Amino acid sequence: MKILIVEDEASLQELMTLALKKEGYVVENASDYGSAVEKLSVYNYDCVLLDIMLPGGSGFDILEYVRSSDKKVNVIIISAKDSIDDKVRGLELGADDYLAKPFHMAELVARMRSVARRSRNDGDFAYRIGNVALEPDSNRVTVDGRDLPLLKKEFDILAYLMQRRGHLVDKAVLAEAVWGDHVDQSDNFQFVYAQMKNLRRKLAEAGADIEIKSVYGFGYKLT
């Protein structure tokens, strides 16, 4: 899962980044209104952790921008302003949850997982396609009930594609989601090809009845 933290308090931003990376998330940061809008206009994220009071503008305006676009992204407001009016406004504008500062990192992670399950998987704890099940919370993949050991990036690739089964996924978008925004500076995608080759081999050897197809000149499609 790829996260954008929009927070101008450097110490909190650092703590959140470290905690989420420890959980295995890909994390990017924006410290003000302008950089947040710029990142959201260029890159795709699964979840945005959004402060309300930002240099250069309001987090509510960013939330409105996200909801007016065609981007499907969860938004959790994180703010020191704990008034009922702010909570109501945020939820009415389309926020998925609201977390008041100060908060424990464990609660933040739990809220993110809960929002992800509600929005993308009908409350189930696992993504299931054919005889393959992937559990995001435990980083576990099974084929016909048997554990399939995967490396971290292999797991992230499979999770991303299982959430978008049947859809064409651009290899650049996949790389950005799994490795972070800095991949747009890379001249090639050999790191994607290598991980994809290993993932396909492991799925085939385990007898998985899903297939990751290459679409020439574009990317991949899970069927």
Side-chain angles (χ1 to χ4, degrees):
M1 184 182 292
K2 185 178 177 185
I3 313 299
L4 176 63
I5 299 174
V6 184
E7 169 62 57
D8 64 318
E9 186 180 336
S11 59
L12 178 57
Q13 183 187 101
E14 182 179 4
L15 285 174
M16 293 168 64
T17 299
L18 291 174
L20 295 177
K21 284 186 174 180
K22 185 177 180 181
E23 294 294 323
Y25 297 116
V26 176
V27 183
E28 304 293 338
N29 291 283
S31 300
D32 55 51
Y33 176 89
S35 60
V37 171
E38 181 179 4
K39 280 183 172 289
L40 286 165
S41 66
V42 175
Y43 301 111
N44 294 309
Y45 300 93
D46 297 292
C47 185
V48 178
L49 303 176
L50 181 62
D51 192 10
I52 293 177
M53 301 180 66
L54 296 166
S58 168
F60 287 131
D61 292 334
I62 294 175
L63 178 56
E64 286 187 292
Y65 167 78
V66 170
R67 291 299 179 238
S68 65
S69 70
D70 60 355
K71 295 178 180 293
K72 294 182 179 180
V73 54
N74 295 320
V75 178
I76 299 177
I77 290 177
I78 49 170
S79 178
K81 298 179 68 176
D82 191 25
S83 73
I84 294 298
D85 289 343
D86 285 327
K87 287 184 178 180
V88 170
R89 183 182 178 191
L91 294 173
E92 286 182 342
L93 288 174
D96 297 284
D97 204 346
Y98 190 110
L99 188 58
K101 301 177 185 176
F103 51 82
H104 292 287
M105 293 301 148
E107 181 181 7
L108 173 63
V109 172
R111 295 282 189 103
M112 288 173 53
R113 289 174 174 168
S114 176
V115 165
R117 286 195 295 267
R118 291 200 309 266
S119 65
R120 286 190 172 175
N121 209 31
D122 298 326
D124 195 0
F125 283 85
Y127 298 102
R128 306 177 193 277
I129 304 177
N131 63 350
V132 179
L134 181 147
E135 300 174 8
D137 290 355
S138 61
N139 290 333
R140 184 186 182 212
V141 176
T142 60
V143 179
D144 278 331
R146 300 184 301 272
D147 283 329
L148 176 62
L150 295 178
L151 298 177
K152 180 64 175 64
K153 294 305 182 186
E154 295 167 356
F155 180 91
D156 292 344
I157 290 172
L158 183 60
Y160 191 84
L161 292 175
M162 286 186 71
Q163 293 173 58
R164 295 158 179 83
R165 60 179 171 179
H167 294 276
L168 291 175
V169 176
D170 188 297
K171 60 180 177 293
V173 174
L174 176 63
E176 172 199 314
V178 174
W179 279 270
D181 299 345
H182 62 277
V183 299
D184 60 7
Q185 301 170 12
S186 177
D187 294 331
N188 60 63
F189 293 94
Q190 291 302 320
F191 54 94
V192 179
Y193 303 148
Q195 298 282 357
M196 187 65 73
K197 179 181 178 180
N198 292 334
L199 174 59
R200 284 168 159 164
R201 174 180 55 79
K202 291 180 179 180
L203 288 170
E205 291 175 350
D209 56 12
I210 63 174
E211 182 181 2
I212 301 173
K213 295 183 178 180
S214 294
V215 181
Y216 182 76
F218 189 83
Y220 301 98
K221 182 178 182 181
L222 186 145
T223 59

